[in-house]
Amino acid sequence: MMNDVVSGAPAIIDRGPRRICLLGASFDTGNLGVSALAESSVKCILARWTEARVTLLGSGRAEGEHHLPLAGRDVVLQKMPIRFCKNFLLPEHFCTLALSALLWRLLPFGFVRRGLSRRNRHFRLLLETDCFIDISGGDSFSDIYGMRRLVLGFLTRSLPLILRKDFILFPQTYGPFQRSISRMMARAILRRAKRIYSRDQAGLEYARSLLGRGTADPRLRFAPDVAFLLDARPPRAADLETLHRFCSAHPVLVGLNVSGLLYYGGYTDRNEFGLKADYRAVIDGIVKSLLKAPDVAMVLVPHVIPRGDFPGSKENDLHACLDVRERLAKRYPDRLFVVEGDYDQAQIKYVIGLCHFLIGTRMHSCIAALSQGIPAVGLAYSKKFRGVFETVGAEDLVLDLRSDGAEEIARAVDRIFASRAALAARLRQRIPAAQQQVQDLLKDADL
C-alpha cells in the first residue's frame, strides 16, 4: 500500500482492508453521548467494510488502543493524538503534520515523499488512510462552545483536505455560527467534503446556505443520528442486582437525566443558554409532579461524568443527580435511585431500557430511550433537539427550556406521561426504519 501512497500512482488492485480515520469521536471524555456517537460510527463503518481498520484521530493525548465489544467481536481501534502544545517538534504535533502535508503537496518528488513518509509514522498513517469521517461530537461544528474548540477542530480537519483525501461528514448539527470568521472556516470544510450528512432537515438548509449554492447539491444528504444504532450491553452483575431489586419494587419506573452543565449554571453562570426558568426548579417540579403517584419511582441517570472531576463541576451529571436525591430523598424515601456505577455508553443505554419513560436534558440520553421504543421528553436548550426528535416522529416530545417555565414544563411532562403507551406504540413503528437508514449510511460509498 505504501508504494502507491509514496509514488502517487493510482491503485489498480484491491489494497486489502480499508483504513478509516474517525474524527470528532472519543471514548475518553466522560460524555457518554460522544462515546455513543463514536461506537455507532464504528458500527456504520464496519457495516460497509467488515475488516476496516479504524483509527480515532485526535482522541486523547496519548497513543494507544481502545477495545470495543461489537457484535461478538473485539474491535481494536487505534488512537492517534494530534497535539497543539508548545513542543512543535513532536511527531504528532499539528504543525509537524501540517508542514509535512504541505511539503507533500508542493514538492511531488518521489525522494521527498519517501523521506516524509519514513520519518514520521503519524504522517504515514494519514497517507495510508482511505477515508476520513468526521462526526464532530454531534454538535461541535459550531462556535457556541467557544472559538478554541472550533479552531482546533478546523485545523484537524484541514489535514486530510490538504492531502486531498476523501472526507465525509457524518450526521450532525451544523451551526449556529455567531462570527463571520466561523462561517468562513465552516464553508471551507463543507466545500471540500465528499459527502455531507445532516441529522435534521433544518441542518441541510443551513449547510446549503453556508455553501451559497442556488441549486441542489448531491453531496448534501439527510440521515438520522447514528446513535440510534447503538446496542445496549448489560452492566456488571453486581450493579444489575441492586438496580433490578429497585426496579422490581416499583411498578412504573421513570428515568430522569439531569444535566450538570445546566444544574450548576452553565459555563459562565450567566445563563448563556437563555433558559426561561431556573433549571433546578424545573427538575424539582418534574420530580414532585410525577412522584405524586405512589406506584412511580425514579432512576436518576447521569450521561456526562468527566474523569478525574470534582464535586460541583460544570459538566458532571452524576454530582447533579446526587444533589437532587440528597435534597428530595426525605420527601420520597426509597423512590429515588441514582445510577452511580462505572458505566459505558452501551451499559447506560441498558439501564435506560429498564425504564418505562424518560425525561432527559442530554440529548443522547433521550436517543438511548427513543431507540428502544421508550417515550422520552427532551428538555431542550438548543435547536438540535427538535430536528433530531422529528426524524422519528417525536417532535411533540420536545419541551423548550428557553421558552417554557417550570410549571408549564411540569404540566406538559404529566400530560405526555399519561399517553406513554400510545407513544411507545408509535415509536415501535418508526424506529426500525431510522436504524436501517443509519445502518446503510455508507452503503454506496466507493473508496
Side-chain angles (χ1 to χ4, degrees), residues 132-191:
F132 292 78
I133 294 175
D134 177 33
I135 192 71
S136 301
D139 63 353
S140 290
F141 202 90
S142 169
D143 60 9
I144 61 172
Y145 296 114
M147 286 300 295
R148 183 178 186 276
R149 184 185 296 192
L150 179 68
V151 170
L152 295 185
F154 171 79
L155 293 176
T156 300
R157 296 179 187 109
S158 70
L159 293 172
L161 301 182
I162 294 172
L163 293 170
R164 294 181 176 173
K165 293 284 187 173
D166 283 343
F167 183 80
I168 295 174
L169 289 159
F170 257 18
Q172 55 190 277
T173 298
Y174 297 100
F177 296 104
Q178 300 169 350
R179 302 168 179 84
S180 297
I181 186 65
S182 304
R183 288 188 286 274
M184 289 174 60
M185 287 189 287
R187 192 175 297 116
I189 297 295
L190 291 173
R191 284 179 174 171

Side-chain angles (χ1 to χ4, degrees), residues 3-316:
N3 289 337
D4 287 336
V5 171
V6 172
S7 67
I12 58 175
I13 59 173
D14 185 1
R15 298 172 295 175
R18 296 297 185 266
R19 301 192 180 195
I20 310 296
C21 271
L22 185 59
L23 293 77
S26 176
F27 296 94
D28 302 324
T29 66
N31 185 324
L32 299 184
V34 173
S35 299
L37 289 171
E39 178 169 339
S40 303
S41 295
V42 172
K43 189 175 179 181
C44 287
I45 292 167
L46 296 183
R48 176 63 179 88
W49 301 290
T50 308
E51 301 302 322
R53 299 177 185 176
V54 181
T55 297
L56 301 174
L57 187 63
S59 175
R61 296 171 59 87
E63 290 183 82
E65 294 180 344
H66 181 84
H67 290 257
L68 183 64
L70 201 60
R73 295 173 55 188
D74 177 26
V75 178
V76 181
L77 308 173
Q78 184 177 353
K79 294 167 60 178
M80 176 184 157
I82 294 181
R83 302 294 298 277
F84 291 91
C85 60
K86 295 179 181 179
N87 188 353
F88 295 97
L89 299 180
L90 290 173
E92 70 272 25
H93 198 283
F94 167 78
C95 292
T96 300
L97 296 171
L99 178 60
S100 299
L102 288 170
L103 291 174
W104 178 273
R105 281 282 306 277
L106 298 174
L107 302 174
F109 308 113
F111 73 95
V112 173
R113 292 187 163 186
R114 283 191 294 271
L116 290 170
S117 63
R118 288 170 180 168
R119 288 177 58 189
N120 188 337
R121 58 189 171 84
H122 300 84
F123 181 61
R124 185 163 64 248
L125 186 147
L126 300 182
L127 292 175
E128 293 178 342
T129 296
D130 296 295
C131 181
F132 292 78
I133 294 175
D134 177 33
I135 192 71
S136 301
D139 63 353
S140 290
F141 202 90
S142 169
D143 60 9
I144 61 172
Y145 296 114
M147 286 300 295
R148 183 178 186 276
R149 184 185 296 192
L150 179 68
V151 170
L152 295 185
F154 171 79
L155 293 176
T156 300
R157 296 179 187 109
S158 70
L159 293 172
L161 301 182
I162 294 172
L163 293 170
R164 294 181 176 173
K165 293 284 187 173
D166 283 343
F167 183 80
I168 295 174
L169 289 159
F170 257 18
Q172 55 190 277
T173 298
Y174 297 100
F177 296 104
Q178 300 169 350
R179 302 168 179 84
S180 297
I181 186 65
S182 304
R183 288 188 286 274
M184 289 174 60
M185 287 189 287
R187 192 175 297 116
I189 297 295
L190 291 173
R191 284 179 174 171
R192 290 162 177 79
K194 182 177 182 179
R195 194 175 295 181
I196 304 165
Y197 286 103
S198 172
R199 62 185 179 183
D200 57 69
Q201 294 294 337
L204 287 179
E205 294 304 317
Y206 193 84
R208 188 172 288 113
S209 70
L210 286 172
L211 288 167
R213 298 173 185 269
T215 57
D217 189 329
R219 298 176 304 146
L220 287 168
R221 305 184 184 190
F222 163 78
D225 190 291
V226 296
F228 279 104
L229 204 59
L230 181 70
D231 294 316
R233 285 192 295 271
R236 294 183 299 271
D239 294 331
L240 274 179
E241 183 180 351
T242 305
L243 185 60
H244 281 157
R245 191 162 55 245
F246 179 82
C247 295
S248 62
H250 304 284
V252 181
L253 208 62
V254 174
L256 176 63
N257 162 246
V258 183
S259 166
L261 178 61
L262 300 187
Y263 194 84
Y264 293 113
Y267 293 115
T268 64
D269 292 321
R270 298 176 182 173
N271 192 23
E272 70 263 35
F273 296 106
L275 307 189
K276 181 176 181 179
D278 177 75
Y279 181 71
R280 295 190 186 202
V282 171
I283 294 299
D284 288 1
I286 290 171
V287 173
K288 293 172 183 177
S289 180
L290 291 180
L291 293 190
K292 284 186 300 186
D295 61 340
V296 175
M298 192 164 282
V299 177
L300 302 174
V301 186
H303 216 256
V304 174
I305 314 171
R307 289 169 172 80
D309 214 0
F310 54 91
S313 165
K314 295 296 186 183
E315 284 282 356
N316 200 312

Side-chain angles (χ1 to χ4, degrees), residues 312-328:
S313 165
K314 295 296 186 183
E315 284 282 356
N316 200 312
D317 292 2
L318 177 57
H319 295 151
C321 289
L322 290 170
D323 189 71
V324 171
R325 184 181 66 182
E326 183 178 347
R327 291 189 298 101
L328 301 178

